[in-house]
Structure formats: C-alpha cells, structure tokens
Amino acid sequence: LLPGTSATLPLAIRNEGGLSLSFCASLRIQGFEQPLLSDGFESADFSVIPWAHSGTSNWMVNTAPPPSGTYCAKSGGVGDSQASILSLPVELSGAGDVSFSRKVSSEAGYDYLQFSVNGELRGQWSGEHAWAAHAYRLSPGTHTLKWAYVKDSSESSGSDCAWLDDVRISEVTLPSGPWVDLRGAASVTG
C-alpha cells in the first residue's frame, strides 16, 4: 500500500484450544507523496525546473509523439565517443521518488541512454525501446539526477538518440500521528 491509500483485510486468529477471533480491518496508510518538481516539457523549453546541460550537444525540446502532452525532451545530436547529458539537482528532506518516461532508438549494445543518481548507474537502455515509464526511490539528501545519451567509438543505428518526458520528483510526507490506522469489527467463536 502506498501512503494515502487504504484496504480492507480479513484477519483470523486461532489458538490451540480452538478459540478463534475473526475480523475485518480497514487499514489506511497515513502520509502522502508530495510532488516537488515536475516537467513534461510543455513549456517548449527547459525553464520549468533547473535543468543543466553538458556533454557535446544539449538536449532539446521536441514534438516527436510523446507519451503525454505535445512536447518531450530529445538528446542532442552526438558523434562517436560523445555524449549529450541532461542533469537535475534535487534536495529531499525525506525519502522520495523520481519517475520519468523514456524512449530509445540506438545501436543495440553500444549506444545507451543511461540514468544515474549521484554517479551511480540506476538504468540503461540500448536498441529500440518504445515509451516506457520508470520509477526509482531516492534517499533523503542532495542528489544529482542525470540522463545521458552516450555513444561508443563507431557506427550508428536507428534514430541515434533518446527521448525523455513526464519527469516527476516527489517526497513522501508522513504525519506526526500514527502511521497505520487499524479499525474493524471482531467476532469471537469457540
């Protein structure tokens, strides 16, 4: 269950003497995900959140059919042994998540879209990949999220680029009171 959701669970407890207790409990997880940053590139530029570009060629906003909206980001054109990098600094006071959609068209096994957090590779995709959503947990603290389209030393295939859309960074906020609320009616038999 995610914070802010609930479910009804049937529970039964039976002791060795045959006495049983049955009840349905309504379980509600207290807390919620609070979006901190979000960009679907619908501004047609990189002005919504503090993106940073590096590498040989900057990412650009593109109208290639995105998974939602009108716009998405596309890696810049790069040659052999070059990279187009889009990064984002994030500060979280509690645990959180980053989610995004990506599409890749590259030389399979050689040219990659790589996603990393603080330099640690979390995912990479090579070859022909349709739009797909991904989500990763983030610990509290300062992070640098990086999407890099990286080419090897020779050859190209497909569109030779990657696309990014629907980037969302959220933080889980828990209340000061109980985190779990169990309520229900019980019956005893035996």
Side-chain angles (χ1 to χ4, degrees):
L1 291 174
L2 296 174
T5 62
S6 62
T8 301
L9 306 171
L11 300 173
I13 301 170
R14 182 181 199 118
N15 73 6
E16 293 175 9
L19 183 65
S20 66
L21 171 66
S22 299
F23 62 96
C24 284
S26 175
L27 175 68
R28 179 162 179 80
I29 304 298
Q30 301 295 324
F32 58 93
E33 284 195 321
Q34 177 179 352
L36 297 176
L37 298 170
S38 180
D39 200 349
F41 307 102
E42 295 307 304
S43 65
D45 60 23
F46 292 95
S47 64
V48 174
I49 54 180
W51 294 106
H53 297 269
S54 60
T56 309
S57 181
N58 288 349
W59 283 65
M60 62 194 89
V61 175
N62 187 271
T63 57
S68 65
T70 303
Y71 300 100
C72 59
K74 178 184 175 189
S75 60
V78 293
D80 295 337
S81 301
Q82 295 180 339
S84 178
I85 302 167
L86 187 62
S87 54
L88 180 64
V90 176
E91 176 73 35
L92 297 176
S93 59
D97 294 295
V98 56
S99 61
F100 59 89
S101 293
R102 62 89 191 121
K103 178 180 173 181
V104 179
S105 178
S106 72
E107 181 186 9
Y110 297 97
D111 301 340
Y112 290 89
L113 171 63
Q114 297 177 332
F115 172 67
S116 63
V117 177
N118 297 335
E120 177 187 327
L121 185 65
R122 296 283 188 97
Q124 67 177 357
W125 305 272
S126 179
E128 297 297 322
H129 292 275
W131 283 107
H134 297 273
Y136 298 90
R137 178 64 70 191
L138 298 172
S139 61
T142 302
H143 302 287
T144 299
L145 311 179
K146 182 165 49 172
W147 293 263
Y149 183 69
V150 181
K151 287 188 56 62
D152 74 338
S153 60
S154 66
E155 299 188 35
S156 296
S157 185
S159 297
D160 203 21
C161 64
W163 294 266
L164 179 66
D165 201 15
D166 300 327
V167 176
R168 178 185 162 126
I169 291 88
S170 57
E171 192 170 77
V172 176
T173 303
L174 295 173
S176 58
W179 292 4
V180 177
D181 183 14
L182 280 175
R183 296 180 190 188
S187 63
V188 177
T189 59

